[in-house]
């Protein structure tokens, strides 16, 4: 189990480096500004890019388990499809996975 944790942590760090997290959001055309979400905590599988998240509730087409918030905005992710109930808050310019939180919608905080 420890080997898996170390391998997973190394993979996340490598992904963070490849995403250019230290660079300004709009400076890297390979990683456009906006919110990118994935269906797995390994940042794989189905993915969606939401270029301009807003205060309106957005429902994803799959359960989200990881995100790259490449925006200057704080976001809230919800388990429901209508942005109600329990939420987690994701800061601007954040790379995060949530293995125990099945997100189904989001909006600006």
């Amino acid at each position: 189990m420890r080997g898996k944790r170390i391998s997973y942590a190394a993979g996340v760090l490598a992904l963070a480096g490849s995403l250019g997290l230290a660079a300004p959001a709009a400076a890297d055309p390979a990683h456009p500004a906006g919110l990118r979400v994935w269906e797995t905590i390994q940042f794989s599988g189905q993915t969606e890019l939401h270029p301009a998240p807003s205060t309106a509730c957005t429902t994803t087409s799959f359960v989200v388990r990881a995100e790259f918030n490449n925006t200057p905005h704080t976001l809230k992710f919800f388990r429901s499809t209508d942005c109600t109930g329990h939420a987690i808050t994701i800061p601007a310019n954040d790379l995060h996975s949530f293995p125990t939180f099945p997100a189904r919608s989001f909006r600006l905080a």
Side-chain angles (χ1 to χ4, degrees):
M1 185 65 134
R2 180 184 156 116
K4 284 185 179 183
R5 284 190 213 149
I6 291 170
S7 176
Y8 174 72
V12 169
L13 290 174
L15 177 62
S18 71
L19 290 174
L21 292 180
D28 184 0
H31 305 289
L35 170 68
R36 177 154 313 267
V37 294
W38 289 268
E39 71 173 329
T40 74
I41 62 171
Q42 293 86 16
F43 302 88
S44 62
Q46 294 183 76
T47 186
E48 293 177 349
L49 175 65
H50 300 274
S54 71
T55 55
C57 183
T58 300
T59 302
T60 59
S61 61
F62 52 86
V63 174
V64 172
R65 295 293 187 163
E67 58 75 30
F68 176 38
N69 180 9
N70 195 17
T71 75
H73 307 289
T74 300
L75 301 171
K76 286 195 175 274
F77 279 85
F78 298 84
R79 290 181 176 173
S80 67
T81 57
D82 61 356
C83 295
T84 60
H86 181 70
I88 57 172
T89 302
I90 303 296
N93 300 311
D94 178 71
L95 177 69
H96 196 96
S97 64
F98 14 97
T100 61
F101 191 88
R104 291 180 174 86
S105 62
F106 66 90
R107 64 174 168 77
L108 291 180

